[in-house]
Amino acid sequence: MNDTMRSGVIRFSDHAEKVPTPEGERSVLALKRGTLDVRLSVPVPPNRQTPHEQDELYAVVRGGGVLIHDGERTPFSAGDLLFVAAGVEHHYADFSDDLALWRIFYGKAGGEAATG
């Protein structure tokens, strides 16, 4: 999908076959629209990340592991949705060989304000 499309289906199979990229990247862009940035990520160990400027969701398509975040270790598995606020240090640990996630950045730099 491109940023001029107004609707559609983003298929896991269409993007999974592109990982890794010829440059060795473990994620591929699926949708970019405004501040929304969606990638399919198929990580390999070690998974180290730097804190991101935007809030972030991960939709776990397959596999499982442990999300290390904000001083905590939280197990996750297929079907789970992970949230990491902008600026929070995080990475995956002890994850399965088949782990695949939709990585979704959204909103302004610094993250959305917490409510309620």
Side-chain angles (χ1 to χ4, degrees):
M1 295 186 80
N2 60 47
D3 62 357
T4 62
M5 295 183 73
R6 293 173 37 99
S7 60
V9 174
I10 299 171
R11 298 193 189 286
F12 173 80
S13 60
D14 291 344
H15 293 82
E17 65 190 22
K18 298 175 185 173
V19 178
T21 68
E23 300 79 26
E25 294 293 322
R26 301 299 303 178
S27 69
V28 292
L29 183 65
L31 175 64
K32 177 76 174 147
R33 185 172 171 89
T35 67
L36 181 64
D37 183 295
V38 179
R39 291 183 167 271
L40 178 64
S41 176
V42 183
V44 294
N47 175 254
R48 290 291 173 198
Q49 301 185 39
T50 57
H52 305 293
E53 291 184 346
Q54 292 176 283
D55 287 338
E56 184 174 19
L57 292 170
Y58 297 95
V60 184
V61 177
R62 66 178 188 211
V66 176
L67 177 66
I68 309 296
H69 62 104
D70 220 12
E72 295 186 36
R73 294 178 57 92
T74 307
F76 64 85
S77 60
D80 288 347
L81 184 64
L82 317 177
F83 170 72
V84 179
V88 172
E89 290 194 27
H90 65 285
H91 67 276
Y92 322 120
D94 305 324
F95 56 91
S96 60
D97 292 340
D98 66 341
L99 181 61
L101 314 99
W102 289 112
R103 195 270 298 140
I104 305 159
F105 284 152
Y106 67 94
K108 62 184 179 179
E112 300 288 323
T115 60

